[in-house]
Amino acid sequence: MRAEKVTSVDVAKMAGVSQSAVSRVFTPGASVSPKMAEKVLKAAQELGYRPNVLARSLITGRSRIIGLVVAYLENQFYPDALEKLSTALQAHGYHILVFMVSNDDAGVDKVMGELLDYQVDGIITASVGMSNALAARCAAAGVPVVLFNRGQDDERLNQVTSNNIEGGRKIAEFLVAGGHRRIAHIAGWSGSSTGRDRQSGFRAGLNAAGLDITCCIDGMYNRETAAAATREIFSGKEPPDAVFVGNDHMAFAVMDVLRFELKLDVPGDVSVVGYDDVPLASWPAYDLTTLRQPSNRMVEATVSTLLGWIEEGSNDVQKIQIDGPLMIRGSARIPEGWPDERL
C-alpha cells in the first residue's frame, strides 16, 4: 500500500512548533533561529518530508521555475548550452522546465501557452521564435521572455545572440585571404535570424573583396540536407574551392561527404569553415576551423537579463550581440601571417 503523504502539519507536530515555523524554515531568506531550524529539519528528515514548491508558489506568486523551449537537440551546440543555462539558473535558486517543440508558430504557441499555465517565472526560448500574439500574452501575464540564439523584430522581447553578421564577415575575409575565389555557402535555415544574418555578413565580406557567393543552398540546419547540398554543389565542372557552412552540425556532414564519398582532400582540394565551435569541432577526426559562439557569455547575459526582470523589476528590453573568435584549425587553408584569435 502507498504511504500517506507527509505534510508540514506532521512536521510541526513532531518538532513541537507551529506550521508557519516549518514554512519559514523551508523558505530561502526567511528569518528563523538556528535552534528552530535544527528541530524542524530533524523532524522533516525523520518523516521524509519535502516542501511542496508549487503549493508555496500560490502563496508567494513565485514558482522559481524557468520554462525552457527548444526545437531540436541534434545540433551539439544546444545540449551544451542548455546544461550551462540550467547550472547558472540553479546557482540562483531556479530550476528549468524543458519543453520540446516543432519549429513553427502553431507548435511554439501551443507549448508556450502550456508553460504559462505552469506559472513559470520566466521563459527562455533556444533558437525558437514566437508569434506577436503570444509575445503580447506573455507581456500581459508579466512573464519575461529571453530569446537565446535567435533574434526577432519585436520590441517586447529580449534576445541574446552571437554577432552573426560580424561572424559571417570574418569568415569571408579569412577565406579570401587564403586565396579562395570560388566560395560556396551552405546556409542555415532562412526562416531563422541566425541563418539570415550569417549569410548577410558573409556575402558583405565577399562583396568588399569584389567577390560573391558562387552557390548558396539552404541547409535548414539539417545534417542530411547539408549532405545532399554538398553533392549538388560539387557535381559541376567548376566546383568551389571553399565552403562556409552555417553551423558545425552541418559542417561535419559536409566534410564526411567530401572526404568519404567524393574522395576530396580537406583542405587540400577544398576548405571548410563552420560556425558554433561545438566540442566535436576540435576532435582530430574533424579539426574544424569555425567561428566560436561564446556560449558562456551568452548564457551569462541571458540569465542576467532574465533575473533582472524577475528580481529587480527591470523593463528595459535587451538586444545583446556578443562577438566570438574564429578558431583556426586544420579544415581550411590558413593565410600566411593570419592572426589566431584564440591567443
Side-chain angles (χ1 to χ4, degrees):
M1 295 179 63
R2 187 173 64 179
E4 292 186 8
K5 187 174 181 180
V6 179
T7 69
S8 60
V9 174
D10 301 318
V11 176
K13 287 180 179 179
M14 176 174 279
V17 301
S18 67
Q19 186 179 4
S20 62
V22 174
S23 177
R24 289 199 304 277
V25 169
F26 286 98
T27 300
S31 177
V32 61
S33 70
K35 184 177 180 180
M36 176 78 73
E38 182 181 0
K39 289 169 61 177
V40 169
L41 292 174
K42 181 180 178 182
Q45 184 175 11
E46 291 182 11
L47 292 171
Y49 169 76
R50 293 294 301 166
N52 188 328
V53 175
L54 294 179
R56 182 187 298 160
S57 71
L58 297 176
I59 300 171
T60 64
R62 295 273 297 278
S63 66
R64 303 197 74 81
I65 295 175
I66 304 300
L68 180 59
V69 183
V70 60
Y72 50 82
L73 294 175
E74 294 92 345
N75 180 356
Q76 298 90 343
F77 176 76
Y78 288 106
D80 180 63
L82 299 193
E83 180 181 354
K84 290 174 181 176
L85 281 167
S86 180
T87 299
L89 287 165
Q90 285 182 30
H92 290 277
Y94 290 84
H95 297 277
I96 63 172
L97 183 61
V98 179
F99 274 58
M100 298 296 297
V101 64
S102 57
N103 209 340
D104 59 76
D105 286 347
V108 172
D109 282 14
K110 180 178 182 296
V111 165
M112 295 280 278
E114 292 173 355
L115 269 179
L116 292 175
D117 293 340
Y118 276 88
Q119 302 296 310
V120 295
D121 289 343
I123 294 175
I124 299 171
T125 68
S127 198
V128 173
M130 58 193 298
S131 70
N132 290 335
L134 187 57
R137 182 179 170 190
C138 290
V143 177
V145 177
V146 180
L147 307 183
F148 179 83
N149 200 33
R150 178 64 60 84
Q152 189 166 321
D153 293 330
D154 192 315
E155 62 183 14
R156 295 163 297 193
L157 297 176
N158 301 284
Q159 61 190 49
V160 177
T161 68
S162 64
N163 191 334
N164 291 293
I165 293 178
E166 176 63 13
R169 186 192 61 77
K170 284 184 181 181
I171 292 168
E173 291 181 349
F174 172 79
L175 291 174
V176 170
H180 297 289
R181 294 298 179 266
R182 300 189 311 278
I183 305 173
H185 181 36
I186 298 178
W189 178 43
S190 61
S192 69
S193 65
T194 52
R196 294 191 302 271
D197 287 350
R198 291 170 194 176
Q199 181 182 154
S200 173
F202 184 60
R203 189 181 298 276
L206 292 180
N207 291 167
L211 301 174
D212 202 352
I213 300 171
T214 60
C215 180
C216 184
I217 297 178
D218 190 337
M220 302 294 293
Y221 288 136
N222 179 275
R223 181 179 174 84
E224 288 72 27
T225 305
T230 305
R231 297 183 191 103
E232 179 180 343
I233 289 172
F234 284 85
S235 64
K237 292 182 178 180
E238 285 192 305
D241 57 8
V243 183
F244 165 40
V245 190
N247 71 0
D248 291 353
H249 180 60
M250 294 191 296
F252 300 141
V254 171
M255 291 181 70
D256 287 344
V257 170
L258 290 173
R259 295 187 301 184
F260 302 117
E261 291 186 27
L262 304 181
K263 307 304 180 183
L264 295 174
D265 181 74
V266 177
D269 295 317
V270 55
S271 290
V272 178
V273 179
Y275 201 111
D276 277 344
D277 193 32
V278 302
L280 187 59
S282 65
W283 290 17
Y286 291 105
D287 198 27
L288 178 65
T289 293
T290 182
L291 198 294
R292 170 177 288 175
Q293 289 219 81
S295 59
N296 287 332
R297 291 157 60 199
M298 290 169 66
V299 165
E300 181 182 349
T302 298
V303 171
S304 176
T305 298
L306 189 65
L307 297 189
W309 280 66
I310 295 172
E311 298 184 349
E312 300 170 17
S314 172
N315 58 5
D316 292 330
V317 175
Q318 302 291 318
K319 307 287 187 182
I320 300 172
Q321 295 183 340
I322 303 175
D323 197 21
L326 183 62
M327 308 300 290
I328 308 297
R329 298 194 180 98
S331 69
R333 186 188 308 162
I334 302 174
E336 185 176 350
W338 188 267
D340 191 335
E341 294 187 60
R342 293 175 291 176
L343 302 178

